[in-house]
Amino acid sequence: MTTAPPVELYDAALAADVVDGLARVEDGLRDAARAQHDLLAQTSAHLIEAGGKRFRATLVLLAAQFGNPRDARIVPSAVAIELTHLATLYHDDVMDEAAVRRGTPSANSRWDNTVAILTGDFLFARASQILAELGPDAIRIQAETFARLVAGQIAETIGARPGEDALDHYLNVVTEKTASLIATSGQFGALFSGAPAEVVARVTPACAAIGVAWQLGDDILDVASESAQSGKTPGTDLREGVRTLPVLHALRSAGPADARLLELLSHPDLADAALHGEALALLRRHPAMEMARADLKRWTDVAREEIAGLPDMPARAAFEALCEYVVERTG
């Protein structure tokens, strides 16, 4: 499983504050998973207990450093963000027919699709209940974010429209489905800490760009890594026929010398170990990998430009280091 860079590398006081906040987020998640029905309580706690990076909650806590990080709204907003993320995982696993999530049987495989869908719905509802206590801005932002999440998921499900560039379509899906909630994480932290409006206006797009870059980094790792560094077996997306960033670049830039790679990428059965290994080896050597890394760097540069305008304090250094980490983890 990929992990966020350790906050203790940034500043000892900041690290202690973030670690304390994350502990309180964990308590809030466990509280939110409680339900009157025993089965719902069990299924709601299933992925919470499986762990996770809590990347979005960490961004809430880091962004809150630009205001009052002890504001009573910070931890509940981080809990709501994580509940929303967890809810999408329950629904994603149903759509993908996934058997495993975070190293444990997925809810849909342990119980069934209906239970998994209803659990996701329950967690969405619990997130909304928490945010209702934080005021109308919280509800409005969450609703806008949720609409973007669903729009991104629909776009991914339907695929590129006739005449639409597949790579542009993919980047739009990542921006809506993945980066929108990460952007809201930074927005909530800055907003509910009482940070100045100009800080909120910079942190939000910075986190959005970091969110896109993080996903593109996962795409690269899925091809380039020799271990489960991306949180799954290398080449999983390729095996399952999922066209992520490197594949899309290879398809867009393919020349006469790439005939075999194109043949393999269109093969109906890359579950075959020999064909999968050959496709993975060809893709690793293809210029598409450097094109993908260039895209990753462009998105982190967008984030850096926004971060550079933030107040000079340890939290800004933490965001800068996060941008470095997002690039460096892909080698």
Side-chain angles (χ1 to χ4, degrees), residues 23-204:
R24 289 185 288 144
V25 168
E26 289 298 320
D27 290 340
L29 289 172
R30 285 191 289 269
D31 287 343
R34 291 174 182 155
Q36 290 182 332
H37 196 290
D38 289 344
L39 177 60
L40 186 56
Q42 184 181 5
T43 59
S44 297
H46 181 63
L47 286 185
I48 294 172
E49 293 171 352
K53 297 183 288 290
R54 306 293 187 248
F55 181 54
R56 293 153 188 81
T58 299
L59 291 179
V60 175
L61 298 169
L62 283 177
Q65 295 290 322
F66 295 105
N68 173 17
R70 292 294 177 178
D71 189 292
R73 298 171 292 179
I74 299 302
V75 168
S77 67
V79 171
I81 287 284
E82 285 292 338
L83 288 172
T84 301
H85 174 56
L86 287 165
T88 66
L89 299 184
Y90 282 89
H91 288 180
D92 280 354
D93 286 346
V94 172
M95 288 183 282
D96 298 341
E97 299 180 350
V100 177
R101 168 70 69 175
R102 294 180 172 175
T104 193
S106 62
N108 49 295
S109 63
R110 179 171 174 178
W111 291 281
D112 58 35
N113 284 347
T114 300
V115 169
I117 290 169
L118 290 173
T119 302
D121 292 346
F122 175 71
L123 294 179
F124 277 128
R126 292 294 289 123
S128 297
Q129 284 179 304
I130 292 169
L131 293 173
E133 298 294 324
L134 304 184
D137 281 346
I139 290 294
R140 175 184 56 78
I141 294 168
Q142 176 77 346
E144 291 169 353
T145 303
F146 190 32
R148 292 182 64 188
L149 285 168
V150 174
Q153 183 64 66
I154 286 288
E156 181 180 56
T157 301
I158 295 173
R161 300 182 183 93
E164 182 182 10
D165 182 83
L167 183 54
D168 291 342
H169 170 81
Y170 178 71
L171 291 173
N172 180 67
V173 167
V174 172
T175 300
E176 297 297 292
K177 180 186 173 184
T178 302
S180 60
L181 187 60
I182 294 175
T184 300
S185 302
Q187 184 178 13
F188 273 1
L191 181 66
F192 295 131
S193 70
E198 56 267 28
V199 168
V200 181
R202 286 191 177 276
V203 165
T204 306

Side-chain angles (χ1 to χ4, degrees), residues 238-300:
L238 186 64
R239 182 182 292 106
E240 295 176 355
V242 178
R243 292 184 170 181
T244 56
L245 187 68
V247 170
L248 291 169
H249 270 301
L251 292 171
R252 180 195 256 189
S253 63
D258 300 317
R260 178 55 177 166
L261 176 58
L262 291 178
E263 179 186 358
L264 289 168
L265 292 179
S266 62
H267 199 282
D269 187 21
L270 277 185
D272 178 89
L275 294 177
H276 176 264
E278 184 183 0
L280 195 58
L282 288 172
L283 190 56
R284 284 172 174 169
R285 296 195 297 268
H286 196 275
M289 294 300 292
E290 290 310 310
M291 296 176 191
R293 289 190 172 95
D295 284 341
L296 168 62
K297 184 178 184 302
R298 275 194 293 273
W299 281 99
T300 55

